[in-house]
Amino acid sequence: MKKSLIALAAVAASGAAFAQSSVTVFGVVDSAVSYVNGQDNWSGLNSGGNQTSRLGFRGVEDLGGGLKANFWLEAGILADNGSGKSGYSANEVANDGLAFKRRATVGLSGNFGEVRMGRELTAAYNATSRYDVFGQVGFGASKVWADAGVNGDSTTQRVSNMVTYLSPDFSGFRANVNYGFGEDKDAQTAKSSNSASSYMGAGLTYDNGPLSLGLGLERRNDGANTGVGAKAFDVNAWSLGGSYNFGVAKLAAAYRNSEAKYSIGGDKDKTKGYYVGVSAPVGAAGEVKASYNRYEINEAGAAKEKADQFALGYVHNMSKRTAVYGTYAYIKNKDGANVRLSSDVALKDGEKQHAVQVGIRHAF
């Protein structure tokens, strides 16, 4: 009898502990029929025209006393062909297999805020990219945060080996900071170095009613050494954005300035991006959105290049989880710029490109 009571108590205790934990499976499947007008026209199916297709697992455990443990594993998916070649940074080699390249973190949260460790989007990127009415996906996405047109000397939107601190909310103000360990080796000495390829960044945000503001600050050290102890270039960038919801429409704007300084010769590549967007509800289930982007690229020793991008889109929500959408985008390059809506299609007449997407997005 006593053993049975002990067993029942153990089962009850384990059940109570399990009830304090939760694990969620979530994801998005998004595909669009797409057309790009360029030097050679292209049509086909793209993944992620409205939201990036993904599969994820997240969980929270209540540890008591206001302390919680959490994890988040999220993999990108190309819904048009079923591969996992999504979520990789520009300097990484993408593979077809499923990999948690969008986010892989574990953390603790409480009254002090939250501390996370792993790979995720940077605080600086999150602070201002949220003002893109196209959500940084599809042909309408702004390239302000990608340093459009520059040969790889940009900050990285996702960083691995990173420690992140997120502050509590102070009357609408929040401060988030990241440090990403380089975990690289000096090309000349072959010694391990955390400063080579390391990342530092911060995001300051304010959200109160219809007003939202964000400031991003970041620095990336480059680990590609070109001489003894010399880095190819280090990147410093800052961005500012904001939005105001008037009810009938929401207006958003952002600016980003990025500078890559080469350690040999001291030359600098500079990029500036200007963004303005607007979104407005249409009836009970629709949303129309439009944006304008201006990119200015000034690589060392070259004349300033410019590009203007326009985008118009509509999303119709058929339910809370399913939507159909359409997007049109146009870009015009000037002074030798080569910014594209699709990297796989060359510009028409060396300057222009049109693109259209019509797709379906389902979230679960």
Side-chain angles (χ1 to χ4, degrees):
M1 181 66 178
K2 185 179 292 187
K3 290 182 178 180
S4 298
L5 289 174
I6 293 173
L8 288 172
V11 171
S14 65
F18 183 76
Q20 294 174 351
S21 302
S22 65
V23 176
T24 301
V25 179
F26 66 95
V28 174
V29 182
D30 182 321
S31 287
V33 176
S34 305
Y35 171 80
V36 182
N37 170 263
Q39 184 173 317
D40 296 308
N41 298 340
W42 180 91
S43 60
L45 206 63
N46 280 135
S47 177
N50 178 252
Q51 289 186 10
T52 302
S53 298
R54 69 196 75 172
L55 175 65
F57 308 87
R58 59 177 180 258
V60 177
E61 181 186 14
D62 191 339
L63 301 174
L67 187 65
K68 295 180 179 179
N70 62 73
F71 79 91
W72 191 304
L73 297 172
E74 185 175 330
I77 298 171
L78 297 183
D80 55 336
N81 60 25
S83 82
K85 195 179 292 186
S86 175
Y88 289 77
S89 299
N91 61 341
E92 297 175 326
V93 179
N95 298 307
D96 287 334
L98 195 69
F100 297 107
K101 283 294 187 177
R102 285 183 56 81
R103 181 171 168 182
T105 62
V106 63
L108 292 172
S109 64
N111 295 331
F112 59 87
E114 184 178 354
V115 175
R116 294 199 295 251
M117 294 185 291
R119 175 185 174 88
E120 61 178 315
L121 290 168
T122 67
Y125 177 78
N126 283 331
T128 57
S129 67
R130 59 187 179 144
Y131 300 113
D132 184 356
V133 295
F134 287 92
Q136 285 286 276
V137 295
F139 291 145
S142 172
K143 304 180 190 305
V144 165
W145 294 273
D147 289 337
V150 178
N151 299 322
D153 47 346
S154 62
T155 55
T156 303
Q157 296 170 0
R158 286 184 174 85
V159 173
S160 299
N161 311 309
M162 189 162 64
V163 178
T164 298
Y165 170 71
L166 301 93
S167 79
D169 187 302
F170 298 103
S171 301
F173 288 96
R174 295 196 69 175
N176 305 327
V177 295
N178 308 113
Y179 179 77
F181 293 92
E183 298 189 16
D184 205 349
K185 289 187 177 181
D186 187 289
Q188 302 298 319
T189 66
K191 292 182 179 180
S192 297
S193 171
N194 279 325
S195 60
S197 300
S198 64
Y199 174 90
M200 293 181 291
L204 308 176
T205 59
Y206 175 75
D207 296 283
N208 190 354
L211 178 64
S212 176
L213 299 171
L215 171 66
L217 306 166
E218 53 191 329
R219 174 183 174 85
R220 178 176 70 88
N221 294 327
D222 195 280
N225 294 346
T226 56
V228 178
K231 300 181 180 66
F233 49 76
D234 297 326
V235 182
N236 292 282
W238 65 274
S239 57
L240 180 67
S243 68
Y244 193 90
N245 193 338
F246 294 93
V248 295
K250 179 188 284 188
L251 181 64
Y255 168 80
R256 188 169 188 273
N257 185 299
S258 178
E259 181 180 280
K261 182 179 180 179
Y262 288 76
S263 57
I264 295 180
D267 291 334
K268 295 179 181 179
D269 289 347
K270 299 179 181 180
T271 60
K272 295 180 181 179
Y274 306 83
Y275 162 84
V276 178
V278 62
S279 61
V282 178
E287 180 189 29
V288 64
K289 45 194 177 182
S291 68
Y292 164 72
N293 292 272
R294 175 65 179 263
Y295 312 121
E296 296 181 356
I297 305 144
N298 192 357
E299 296 188 45
K304 182 183 291 186
E305 302 171 352
K306 307 178 188 70
D308 296 295
Q309 176 185 329
F310 303 88
L312 180 65
Y314 176 74
V315 179
H316 186 82
N317 294 294
M318 304 178 72
S319 70
K320 291 183 178 180
R321 296 185 297 162
T322 303
V324 293
Y325 61 89
T327 302
Y328 166 76
Y330 169 74
I331 195 164
K332 174 67 179 295
N333 288 268
K334 304 174 183 177
D335 303 321
N338 186 33
V339 185
R340 308 179 191 183
L341 299 172
S342 173
S343 59
D344 297 325
V345 182
L347 299 169
K348 186 174 184 178
D349 301 324
E351 295 182 344
K352 299 176 290 184
Q353 196 167 74
H354 300 261
V356 179
Q357 288 182 310
V358 178
I360 303 170
R361 181 258 299 160
H362 177 76
F364 62 89

